Amino acid sequence: MTTKITKAVIPAAGLGTRFLPATKAMPKEMLPVVDKPAIQYVVEEAVAAGLTDVLMITGRNKNALENHFDRMTELEDLLEKKGDQDRLAKVRFATGLADVHYVRQGDPLGLGHAVLRAKMHIGHEPFAVLLGDDIIDDRDVLLSKMLTEQGKRNATIIALMEVEPEAIHLYGCAAVETTDDPDVVKVTGLVEKPSAADAPSNLAIIGRYVLRPEIFEVLQNTKPGKGNEIQLTDALQVMAVNPQFTGGVYGVIFRGRRYDTGDRLDYIKAIVQLAVDRPDLGPDLRVWLQEFAATLD
Ligand code: G1P
């Protein structure tokens, strides 16, 4: 019998230094992507995959996050009085999405440490982790496939995507073997941010994981790794090479549209890519973009 997975963990304690000064007094997760904060895309993705209990691992300066997923009665009353149902629905939507909980990370000791802070909330059941910097296009399937594979294999599942060899040093990288499903691989080893020369493949870990609760025990014994931080990738490596204890690790290969909002240039690209497909903004933006591109050397 497999348990239905209902809990998602979203680490959101990073300082967002790449976006200073915008992130001096505001969490980077609240940066708008078109007209929605980046974190709302991620919560919507979790909810669409059936995960209704969301735990955010936060830090200082994160009040805006909590406010975003809470009621804002003054604004709601005002919009109601004006009869602006459209905007009222937008404001209320984030509140009703999921049951959102918060725990602070405390010391910024790395992604592995952030995930370990979820231990009490999760208990002994599999759960998903979604990293806020990655937005997965809602027209493409990833998380629901990962949840299905978890149920089928009772293993830990990570999301992998092919990247150019020059980019692999920005990601965790997986050594893999094929399975009978072309979109699923067995993970035989993992290394955090290797150089192109040391990378076992061009398969990068992207920010979606479905973890078995044994990860907590492993994380408790994981020493700081790359960047002197407790790395989730290092704990997953232990899970991958101890399948008798953990069920092993499998990767779902994602071939769809992913937007990285963690880097300034990619963030700008994400906004443009998402906006050109929006019925309200896309038609005018496309025309302007073509005109603008023609003025560039
Ligand atoms: C984290 C993980 C890395 C993964 C990446 C995906 O790195 O440590 O293994 O590939 O997320 O976005 P970060 O981007 O937080 O440095």
Side-chain angles (χ1 to χ4, degrees):
M1 263 276 293
T2 51
T3 341
K4 184 176 168 354
I5 302 178
T6 56
K7 291 180 184 167
V9 172
I10 305 183
L15 294 176
T17 47
R18 280 188 268 187
F19 285 88
L20 283 169
T23 49
K24 184 180 170 193
M26 180 182 84
K28 68 168 175 175
E29 293 79 9
M30 288 301 293
L31 286 171
V33 177
V34 190
D35 50 8
K36 241 184 342 194
I39 189 103
Q40 189 174 329
Y41 288 85
V42 179
V43 173
E44 285 178 15
E45 180 192 336
V47 171
L51 311 174
T52 48
D53 178 312
V54 173
L55 176 69
M56 291 195 192
I57 317 291
T58 67
R60 273 175 208 287
N61 247 345
K62 302 290 179 173
N63 295 348
L65 261 178
E66 296 194 14
N67 290 341
H68 184 71
F69 291 100
D70 195 2
R71 296 295 295 266
M72 192 174 185
T73 38
E74 306 93 294
L75 179 62
E76 289 176 35
D77 288 350
L78 190 83
L79 293 169
E80 190 127 50
K81 275 198 198 103
K82 279 185 169 175
D84 192 341
Q85 293 304 326
D86 255 22
R87 293 204 172 90
L88 182 62
K90 280 185 187 162
V91 168
R92 284 193 175 150
F93 186 70
T95 319
L97 260 176
D99 191 4
V100 187
H101 308 263
Y102 303 88
V103 61
R104 284 201 179 203
Q105 187 176 0
D107 299 317
L109 300 179
L111 179 59
H113 176 257
V115 171
L116 186 52
R117 297 287 292 131
K119 184 172 186 247
M120 292 299 284
H121 184 84
I122 299 294
H124 201 79
E125 52 187 277
F127 63 104
V129 173
L130 292 85
L131 304 189
D133 286 347
D134 285 324
I135 294 179
I136 302 295
D137 198 299
D138 62 8
R139 295 164 291 185
D140 299 324
V141 178
L142 176 59
L143 192 54
S144 52
K145 164 87 173 160
M146 294 174 73
L147 292 166
T148 307
E149 290 301 319
Q150 203 290 325
K152 215 158 80 182
R153 298 174 194 270
N154 196 18
T156 282
I157 313 290
I158 61 176
L160 296 171
M161 192 167 185
E162 280 185 28
V163 299
E164 296 300 324
E166 312 82 85
I168 199 73
H169 71 279
L170 299 169
Y171 299 93
C173 177
V176 302
E177 285 168 4
T178 53
T179 68
D180 49 14
D181 181 338
D183 292 329
V184 180
V185 288
K186 182 169 176 19
V187 175
T188 56
L190 287 159
V191 42
E192 178 69 1
K193 303 193 175 125
S195 66
D198 293 337
S201 75
N202 65 341
L203 289 171
I205 306 177
I206 54 171
R208 300 292 180 269
Y209 309 80
V210 182
L211 303 173
R212 275 194 21 175
E214 287 82 357
I215 193 77
F216 294 125
E217 208 182 315
V218 178
L219 280 169
Q220 273 164 338
N221 294 307
T222 301
K223 302 271 174 294
K226 194 102 186 174
N228 206 25
E229 293 187 341
I230 297 173
Q231 296 292 352
L232 182 57
T233 304
D234 293 346
L236 288 165
Q237 156 71 8
V238 174
M239 302 281 277
V241 297
N242 290 287
Q244 68 292 358
F245 158 63
T246 65
V249 177
Y250 288 81
V252 167
I253 300 185
F254 182 62
R255 305 178 209 276
R257 289 158 283 194
R258 162 185 175 258
Y259 312 99
D260 181 355
T261 60
D263 170 86
R264 285 175 305 164
L265 184 59
D266 289 332
Y267 169 74
I268 296 166
K269 290 181 193 169
I271 293 174
V272 175
Q273 283 172 285
L274 286 162
V276 292
D277 282 346
R278 285 258 305 244
D280 52 345
L281 301 166
D284 288 347
L285 180 60
R286 278 166 192 268
V287 172
W288 176 81
L289 262 180
Q290 273 159 352
E291 285 167 8
F292 180 64
T295 68
L296 301 175
D297 294 336

